[in-house]
Amino acid sequence: TQLLEQSPQFLSIQEGENLTVYCNSSSVFSSLQWYRQEPGEGPVLLVTVVTGGEVKKLKRLTFQFGDARKDSSLHITAAQPGDTGLYLCAGGGAGNNRKLIWGLGTSLAVNP
Amino acid sequence: DTGVSQDPRHKITKRGQNVTFRCDPISEHNRLYWYRQTLGQGPEFLTYFQNEAQLEKSRLLSDRFSAERPKGSFSTLEIQRTEQGDSAMYLCASSLAAGFNEKLFFGSGTQLSVL
């Protein structure tokens, strides 16, 4: 069974600080996605990484896919209150029924 | 541009009642998923359709849950004889299956409270 573990589970920081969120597995994924979810809304896709070692930047957010495609990280620089939310990673598997494998999420609170 | 829409946004019901939720996916998307999510947790897979065919159903899903997608467009999720443990956010997502790089687009969910 494929599993994705996210850490930390909760994170509360001050505005302007940097942070890193991790998504780890013992399984190899063909792709990995990061979503952000605000209270009362569905998750919104931020980025998809597909190549081992790939780094993608989205403004102050930097996403990295591990060389072995088993792990990923999300780094936020100079966090802002608008970054508050639940960050979810989801791994894409192989085979014909390729439903995503979801982590449990990191709940981030950025305090002004 | 119409995204994924879900109806109703909120549902309060008494234990033992039946409830039905509707999801309208993005029109050209062939896959439709139902997830359940409790506060602070990731989405829990319930079932998914490719066109009108229900391809997989979670083993965690009891017989009280049933989903349909009769014409390969909108979908309904019915919960019979609701229990307090069914209280959660029910999320629908759609995608255009494209190999391994599948991207899900979620609706805003239906928040169910069973009293």
Side-chain angles (χ1 to χ4, degrees):
Chain A
T1 302
Q2 292 179 304
L3 292 174
L4 274 171
E5 295 183 351
Q6 288 191 240
S7 61
Q9 188 176 357
F10 300 99
L11 191 56
S12 179
I13 61 172
Q14 293 301 121
E15 182 176 0
E17 293 183 5
N18 302 334
L19 67 117
T20 302
V21 174
Y22 300 93
C23 178
N24 297 303
S25 176
S26 58
S27 302
V28 175
F29 290 97
S30 55
S31 66
L32 200 133
Q33 299 176 354
W34 285 93
Y35 292 78
R36 186 168 79 93
Q37 184 178 22
E38 297 186 15
E41 297 294 330
V44 175
L45 179 65
L46 296 174
V47 77
T48 301
V49 285
V50 298
T51 305
E54 182 177 2
V55 176
K56 281 192 174 179
K57 292 190 175 183
L58 186 65
K59 296 183 180 179
R60 294 175 294 100
L61 278 60
T62 301
F63 304 86
Q64 185 165 7
F65 202 12
D67 291 342
R69 290 183 289 128
K70 294 182 178 181
D71 54 83
S72 181
S73 64
L74 158 60
H75 183 78
I76 302 179
T77 303
Q80 299 177 0
D83 296 327
T84 294
L86 181 68
Y87 288 82
L88 295 157
C89 65
N96 291 327
N97 294 330
R98 294 168 183 166
K99 63 178 173 66
L100 295 172
I101 307 297
W102 290 84
L104 295 182
T106 293
S107 182
L108 171 65
V110 182
N111 306 303
Chain B
D1 175 33
T2 56
V4 178
S5 63
Q6 292 188 244
D7 183 69
R9 288 295 308 272
H10 304 276
K11 179 69 177 179
I12 300 173
T13 191
K14 292 183 179 179
R15 187 176 51 189
Q17 297 294 305
N18 300 342
V19 294
T20 300
F21 309 142
R22 178 181 169 121
C23 172
D24 287 273
I26 294 172
S27 58
E28 63 267 26
H29 285 183
N30 55 359
R31 280 193 178 177
L32 186 148
Y33 294 77
W34 285 100
Y35 287 91
R36 179 171 59 190
Q37 187 179 28
T38 53
L39 193 64
Q41 300 293 312
E44 175 190 16
F45 170 77
L46 296 179
T47 188
Y48 89 101
F49 295 83
Q50 181 142 326
N51 301 312
E52 66 274 10
Q54 187 173 18
L55 295 188
E56 188 169 347
K57 186 176 177 180
S58 169
R59 289 173 293 174
L60 300 175
L61 215 57
S62 77
D63 292 341
R64 297 184 297 106
F65 288 71
S66 62
E68 293 182 345
R69 194 184 184 197
K71 298 181 180 179
S73 56
F74 75 92
S75 176
T76 57
L77 176 68
E78 181 183 16
I79 308 174
Q80 296 181 326
R81 304 182 302 282
T82 53
E83 302 173 356
Q84 287 184 328
D86 297 331
S87 296
M89 172 79 89
Y90 288 84
L91 291 164
C92 174
S94 69
S95 75
L96 188 62
F100 60 82
N101 196 6
E102 183 174 8
K103 299 177 183 178
L104 295 185
F105 293 81
F106 282 85
S108 296
T110 294
Q111 182 66 53
L112 173 65
S113 297
V114 182
L115 305 178

